[in-house]
């Protein structure tokens, strides 16, 4: 079975440019998550969706970041304009719905997009 | 205070050794607990879920102490291939009725040497 698919795997761009990261979750999963990982801050949740609807975007750093999920098999994370401090590895993950309220199922991660903004 | 705290290590152990990692979490309402493993420049991968009664998977044993809000991972008979960063993960029942947000610790680095 295909896991979570992300593209591109590497992105190098100049400050001020728009960056779009893409994710295809595991088929049948109800939840999709976007994370950012840096050495300093570790893995941070940016936003997550349930059945294509954004549930919590409180982790999105600022208005330069936006995420969409137009259908169950595709999501994008856009940064416009990009800045050097956005350099990080961006992971997408997906999971099934939990069996009961207040709990969470395990998440499966894509290989990540390594973003470098110069 | 961070929601999930781990000793960053690194832990350097010889092959065959037993090593234990600990983790504390701050949200007493958390209900789901996991250990993930992350290899260098790779994505985090689920190692095991952690259940209230404790659970074992081969050489790996996970324990949960809800009263102390403490989770542990024990690795017996360490292999060179166990070298990785181990992430303690706890869900965070938030303001809404959904507990799907997962909080990841910053990880504990393990190096198993010959």
């Amino acid at each position: 079975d295909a896991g979570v698919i992300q593209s591109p795997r590497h992105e190098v761009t100049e400050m001020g440019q728009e960056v779009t990261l893409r994710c295809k979750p595991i088929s049948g999963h109800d939840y999709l998550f976007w994370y950012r990982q840096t050495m300093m801050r570790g893995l941070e949740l940016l936003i997550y969706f349930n059945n294509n609807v954004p549930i919590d975007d409180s982790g999105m750093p600022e208005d330069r970041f936006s995420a969409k999920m137009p259908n169950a098999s595709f999501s994008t994370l856009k940064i416009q304009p990009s800045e050097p401090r956005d350099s990080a590895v961006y992971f997408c993950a997906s999971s099934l719905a939990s069996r009961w309220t207040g709990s969470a199922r395990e998440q499966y991660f894509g290989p990540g997009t390594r973003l470098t903004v110069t | 205070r961070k929601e999930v705290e781990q000793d960053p290590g690194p832990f350097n152990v010889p092959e065959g050794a037993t090593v234990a990692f600990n983790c504390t979490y701050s949200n007493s309402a958390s209900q789901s607990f996991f250990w993930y493993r992350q290899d260098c420049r790779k994505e985090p991968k689920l190692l095991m879920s952690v259940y209230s009664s404790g659970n074992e998977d081969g050489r790996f044993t996970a324990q949960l102490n809800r009263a102390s809000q403490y989770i542990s991972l024990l690795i017996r008979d360490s292999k060179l291939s166990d070298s990785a960063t181990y992430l303690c993960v706890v869900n965070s029942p938030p303001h809404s009725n959904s507990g799907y947000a997962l909080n990841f610790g910053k990880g504990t680095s393990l190096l198993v040497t010959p």
Side-chain angles (χ1 to χ4, degrees):
Chain A
D1 287 341
V4 176
I5 298 171
Q6 290 188 247
S7 65
R9 295 291 302 275
H10 301 273
E11 177 82 34
V12 180
T13 190
E14 291 184 348
M15 179 175 165
Q17 297 299 305
E18 177 178 296
V19 175
T20 299
L21 312 181
R22 297 173 176 79
C23 174
K24 177 179 168 55
I26 293 172
S27 178
H29 279 194
D30 309 272
Y31 286 80
L32 182 140
F33 306 82
W34 282 102
Y35 292 88
R36 176 172 70 176
Q37 187 174 40
T38 60
M39 286 294 291
M40 288 295 295
R41 301 173 70 91
L43 201 59
E44 301 174 282
L45 176 65
L46 300 177
I47 184 171
Y48 74 93
F49 296 82
N50 177 24
N51 293 327
N52 317 338
V53 176
I55 301 300
D56 185 351
D57 65 355
S58 59
M60 295 285 261
E62 48 197 272
D63 291 346
R64 297 184 298 106
F65 285 68
S66 62
K68 294 182 180 179
M69 191 166 185
N71 58 63
S73 58
F74 184 66
S75 176
T76 59
L77 178 68
K78 188 174 293 188
I79 308 172
Q80 166 64 17
S82 57
E83 297 183 3
R85 62 192 166 120
D86 301 330
S87 297
V89 181
Y90 290 80
F91 289 106
C92 176
S94 69
S95 77
L96 292 167
S98 178
R99 299 177 184 93
W100 56 85
T101 301
S103 69
R105 296 287 294 272
E106 63 275 16
Q107 296 177 13
Y108 296 88
F109 283 74
T113 295
R114 188 169 296 274
L115 173 66
T116 303
V117 183
T118 60
Chain B
R1 179 183 173 189
K2 284 187 67 66
E3 295 217 32
V4 181
E5 299 208 45
Q6 295 181 251
D7 180 345
F11 283 54
N12 292 339
V13 302
E15 261 187 301
T18 295
V19 61
F21 304 139
N22 303 317
C23 162
T24 57
Y25 62 96
S26 61
N27 190 335
S28 59
S30 296
Q31 296 187 33
S32 303
F33 310 90
F34 309 94
W35 283 100
Y36 274 69
R37 170 193 169 128
Q38 187 171 23
D39 292 287
C40 187
R41 301 179 75 84
K42 298 286 190 181
E43 72 273 23
K45 291 186 177 177
L46 177 69
L47 178 65
M48 59 195 301
S49 301
V50 185
Y51 302 119
S52 296
S53 54
N55 49 297
E56 189 174 302
D57 182 1
R59 297 181 294 109
F60 299 84
T61 300
Q63 300 231 315
L64 169 65
N65 183 323
R66 285 186 185 272
S68 302
Q69 293 179 207
Y70 171 96
I71 305 164
S72 66
L73 176 68
L74 184 77
I75 306 175
R76 289 181 300 279
D77 188 23
S78 301
K79 311 291 184 192
L80 296 178
S81 57
D82 294 334
S83 298
T85 297
Y86 291 83
L87 306 173
C88 178
V89 184
V90 177
N91 87 312
S92 184
H95 44 280
S96 72
N97 62 2
S98 165
Y100 290 99
L102 290 183
N103 286 299
F104 286 74
K106 292 186 74 174
T108 298
S109 176
L110 172 65
L111 178 63
V112 181
T113 55

